[in-house]
Amino acid sequence: MKKFIVIDGLDGSGKDTQVNLLADMYEKQGKNVVVRSHPCNDNKFGRRSKQALLKEGKLNHILATVNFGLDAIRSVHMYYYRRDCDVLIFSRYILAVMYLPNGINTIVYKIVAFILPTSDLMFFLDISPEESLRRIGSREEETEMFENIEALTESREKSRKFTYNWNVIPADGTPEEISQKIIKKCLEAGD
């Protein structure tokens, strides 16, 4: 049976770092691992989402979220059912709905979580907005529309209504501390 793992969280929470550590661990075990980090650059939906994230305004906010969703759906369609994949790891997945307006985001989350595959190995890296912003500032990338203290604080608060059935991992610590908690849960789930 394929292991489906999702790592999500605010920008700067260490999602890609944790995904890479997990992928490396499973590859060393001889597993065939596929990693999808959304938004992906290998398709028009991911590229459109990223372009919209680098702009401002409500229209771009909605375009970023809708295209992100289509990118994630595409990844599920292309990789979830592949027989040659032992471990499928998604960085960012269905929690993007938290960026939609309140009320709508709850409805969309329930629909998406019902339709798309979920797992007991879905992790939300819960980072403080201040630490998130510090880490974002240390990167040499363009700042996205949600990468400011107000948006990060709001997103963290909104995330709490969606992560009730996720494994919430405190993420202000070192990558190694965070990784140990994720790996422990993955090993408990077995193969």
Side-chain angles (χ1 to χ4, degrees):
M1 184 171 160
K2 180 189 313 291
K3 191 173 286 245
F4 180 49
I5 303 169
V6 176
I7 307 287
D8 215 323
L10 298 180
D11 290 349
S13 62
K15 296 178 294 291
D16 289 330
T17 298
Q18 295 307 318
V19 164
N20 291 333
L21 290 170
L22 272 177
D24 185 53
M25 179 189 81
Y26 283 114
E27 287 169 351
K28 286 179 179 172
Q29 294 176 6
K31 306 280 186 194
N32 184 2
V33 179
V34 173
V35 171
R36 299 296 294 165
S37 183
H38 301 101
C40 303
N41 289 325
D42 65 357
N43 69 88
K44 65 182 178 183
F45 303 118
R47 289 189 297 272
R48 287 177 186 164
S49 180
K50 185 67 175 173
Q51 289 169 352
L53 284 168
L54 295 173
K55 299 176 184 174
E56 295 292 327
K58 289 186 184 221
L59 177 60
N60 284 309
H61 186 144
I62 292 169
L63 287 172
T65 305
V66 168
N67 279 292
F68 179 96
L70 293 171
D71 182 28
I73 290 167
R74 178 185 178 275
S75 289
V76 168
H77 175 72
M78 293 186 71
Y79 299 97
Y80 187 77
Y81 301 101
R82 282 179 51 172
R83 295 182 193 269
D84 64 340
C85 171
D86 301 313
V87 181
L88 176 60
I89 307 173
F90 277 16
S91 175
R92 299 172 200 88
Y93 188 40
I94 58 178
L95 286 182
V97 301
M98 73 181 166
Y99 297 112
L100 293 171
N102 280 329
I104 293 171
N105 58 11
T106 303
I107 295 166
V108 172
Y109 180 80
K110 288 179 180 178
I111 293 168
V112 170
F114 178 75
I115 293 171
L116 293 178
T118 57
S119 161
D120 290 338
L121 298 176
M122 294 172 56
F123 299 93
F124 179 76
L125 304 182
D126 187 27
I127 189 170
S128 67
E130 295 79 14
E131 178 62 13
S132 174
L133 198 58
R134 187 192 69 73
R135 291 180 188 178
I136 290 166
S138 70
R139 301 186 309 211
E140 293 186 22
E141 297 176 8
E142 282 187 78
T143 303
E144 296 176 357
M145 71 171 70
F146 301 113
E147 295 178 337
N148 60 69
I149 196 69
E150 296 84 15
L152 291 166
T153 301
E154 180 182 352
S155 295
R156 186 180 191 206
E157 287 304 312
K158 280 183 168 184
S159 73
R160 293 196 167 123
K161 69 181 179 180
F162 302 111
T163 56
Y164 54 87
N165 60 345
W166 288 62
N167 298 289
V168 178
I169 306 291
D172 281 358
T174 67
E176 294 77 20
E177 293 168 337
I178 298 163
S179 178
Q180 287 175 358
K181 293 173 185 171
I182 294 170
I183 288 171
K184 181 180 181 211
K185 183 71 176 175
C186 289
L187 294 175
E188 288 171 359
D191 287 318

